[in-house]
Amino acid sequence: MSVFKMAWRGVWRYRRRSVVTMSAMTFALWVMILYSGLLEGYLAGMQRNAVNLELGDIQVFAPGYQKNPSLHTRIPDARAVVAALGKRGFPASARVLGGGLAATDEFSAAVSFRGVEMADDAKVTSVSTHVRMGNWLDVGHPRGVVIGRKLARILGVEVGEEFVVVSQGADGSMANELYAVRGVLNTIADVVDRSGVYMHADLLRELLVVPEGAHQIIVRRPSEVPLDVAIVEVSQIARNLEARTWRQLIPTLASLLDSTRGSLYAMFVIVYIAIGIVILNAMLMAVFERIREFGVLKALGVGPWDVMRIIWAEAIIETGIAIVAGVVLSIPALYYLSATGIDFNTIGNLSIAGVAFDPIWRAEINAGVFLGPVVTMLTIVALAVCYPAIKAAMIRPVEAMRHQ
């Protein structure tokens, strides 16, 4: 009789214990697949929000701008750099940056200006699609600006109302102008919510007396190009300039995502150790209940390795059934979580590490979501079965047949 047939009969001879063991493994795998999918969705969503809304994959600055931002520290020929990046497959958009004071009749607040090239900016960020009230910038309304959600509340302005800004031009002159609120953004990032003012790049150049150049170039990479490879290529194209990845620009968020991924693996180990204990206990019970059986087998010439193979085969059968059941049951639940998600809109606008968190938490579905839990379960089961298999292999035929 083959080892597999003997193991199959051994599994179903003690049906209740086997069903309980397989049910525990199935439930644990189902939970961990859903947990993995949700956590992967959280990580992907956070990175997607950070990159798509404001940061881009890479940003390029004039040397020294990040340490000491100044109107005078500009990329001199930003349009040429943007064109060169575009030819190499890296969509890019230049921005003019500045700061000042915004005021209404009763309130005032510090603001950060973002002058955008509308056509190019739409290729690298999705901020234009996150307008909460009103509309995005329009060439037909050159004096209309879009501001952050919290800034609108601080200034007490709504769509269509006006506020004045005061700043200092690059030539040392006093810069002031009256602008109308064309739109108010949803939560983007903390700094944008509190102080962000988006306007046409030419309009900001006029205000700050910056006739040429740009302070920042936002770059996106092709999806097939890894970030570490992309930063090298961008640095080669934008020579004599400083290029930084989003991970370097927001190290707190990068560290949070890395540590969260680490917690995923830690949770796998904790849950599956508990399952391993259940399996160890079940297999030990199976060995002790079948001491006479193993003794007879060894007396008939079955070697220790063959006994171990029987125990291993039983564990493989139970684990295989549990894996198939767990994966099959998790597919509809994962599909629902990826399509519908968990709605956090009742909590309000959330941000984590300064980046907006999508109020609809959706799961991610990819091979890793299934592979990670399955591989971890197989590893823990393999370790848990070792002791019972060795115990069965070491049984002495004479003592076993006398066992009561």
Side-chain angles (χ1 to χ4, degrees):
M1 184 178 292
S2 69
V3 170
F4 181 81
K5 286 184 178 180
M6 294 184 67
W8 181 263
R9 291 183 177 181
V11 168
W12 299 112
R13 186 182 305 164
Y14 304 94
R15 184 169 300 177
R16 181 177 299 178
R17 183 179 63 244
S18 298
V19 168
V20 170
T21 303
M22 289 186 289
S23 298
M25 288 192 287
T26 299
F27 179 73
L29 185 63
W30 181 79
V31 169
M32 294 313 297
I33 289 176
L34 297 189
Y35 174 73
S36 178
L38 284 171
L39 197 54
E40 287 291 340
Y42 164 79
L43 296 174
M46 285 298 297
Q47 180 173 330
R48 191 163 48 242
N49 282 352
V51 170
N52 291 352
L53 289 180
E54 180 67 13
L55 284 178
D57 294 299
I58 298 169
Q59 291 187 10
V60 178
F61 304 91
Y65 181 84
Q66 279 191 290
K67 292 183 178 179
N68 185 24
S70 169
L71 283 177
H72 304 284
T73 308
R74 300 191 295 271
I75 302 169
D77 197 358
R79 286 190 174 89
V81 177
V82 169
L85 288 167
K87 288 180 181 179
R88 295 283 291 273
F90 293 92
S93 177
R95 284 185 176 184
V96 180
L97 307 177
L101 182 71
T104 58
D105 291 339
E106 299 180 1
F107 307 102
S108 63
V111 295
S112 55
F113 303 117
R114 288 164 167 77
V116 301
E117 303 285 354
M118 290 182 58
D120 290 338
D121 204 76
K123 300 175 184 177
V124 298
T125 73
S126 60
V127 65
S128 61
T129 64
H130 281 68
V131 178
R132 183 179 186 180
M133 295 181 291
N135 299 285
W136 182 241
L137 302 175
D138 187 351
V139 293
H141 299 82
R143 294 289 168 181
V145 299
V146 177
I147 64 176
R149 179 179 59 87
K150 292 181 181 178
L151 179 60
R153 189 166 64 243
I154 292 170
L155 294 177
V157 294
E158 296 181 353
V159 175
E161 297 182 347
E162 297 179 331
F163 63 91
V164 66
V165 299
V166 180
S167 186
Q168 185 176 25
D171 61 353
S173 63
M174 180 64 70
N176 60 84
E177 189 58 77
L178 188 67
Y179 297 111
V181 178
R182 177 167 172 78
V184 177
L185 294 169
N186 268 317
T187 297
I188 301 293
D190 288 345
V191 64
V192 174
D193 292 348
R194 291 194 308 268
S195 63
V197 176
Y198 289 82
M199 62 178 69
H200 296 283
D202 291 339
L203 190 65
L204 186 54
R205 292 181 190 278
E206 179 184 338
L207 173 69
L208 300 179
V209 195
V210 179
E212 60 183 13
H215 299 101
Q216 176 193 59
I217 297 177
I218 298 177
V219 185
R220 297 302 302 270
R221 62 184 172 90
S223 58
E224 68 275 8
V225 179
L227 187 61
D228 55 348
V229 174
I231 186 64
V232 173
E233 294 190 33
V234 170
S235 299
Q236 292 174 348
I237 298 169
R239 294 184 181 277
N240 302 320
L241 299 173
E242 294 180 352
R244 298 287 185 271
T245 67
W246 70 267
R247 296 181 68 88
Q248 294 170 318
L249 294 168
I250 309 185
T252 302
L253 178 62
S255 177
L256 174 65
L257 296 182
D258 292 341
S259 62
T260 303
R261 190 175 296 280
S263 71
L264 171 65
Y265 300 130
M267 184 62 70
F268 282 166
V269 173
I270 292 171
V271 171
Y272 289 134
I273 283 177
I275 296 301
I277 294 172
V278 172
I279 296 168
L280 174 64
N281 183 60
M283 287 299 180
L284 279 175
M285 288 176 60
V287 169
F288 285 122
E289 289 177 0
R290 298 159 63 189
I291 288 179
R292 289 176 61 84
E293 175 186 334
F294 290 132
V296 171
L297 287 174
K298 295 192 73 175
L300 293 174
V302 176
W305 285 109
D306 290 327
V307 173
M308 291 183 67
R309 287 170 59 196
I310 293 172
I311 301 297
W312 277 96
E314 291 182 8
I316 289 171
I317 291 170
E318 292 182 355
T319 306
I321 293 173
I323 288 174
V324 172
V327 170
V328 170
L329 291 174
S330 67
I331 290 174
L334 265 183
Y335 178 79
Y336 172 81
L337 289 174
S338 65
T340 304
I342 303 173
D343 191 350
F344 286 95
N345 273 307
T346 54
I347 300 177
N349 294 289
L350 299 174
S351 64
I352 299 174
V355 177
F357 175 76
D358 192 339
I360 306 297
W361 184 4
R362 292 182 172 86
E364 190 87 355
I365 301 178
N366 54 48
V369 168
F370 296 95
L371 191 60
V374 169
V375 170
T376 307
M377 170 174 270
L378 288 172
T379 303
I380 297 296
V381 169
L383 294 174
V385 174
C386 285
Y387 179 69
I390 294 172
K391 188 76 174 176
M394 298 298 291
I395 292 175
R396 295 182 179 181
V398 175
E399 296 178 0
M401 288 186 286
R402 292 175 180 174
H403 181 77
Q404 298 296 327

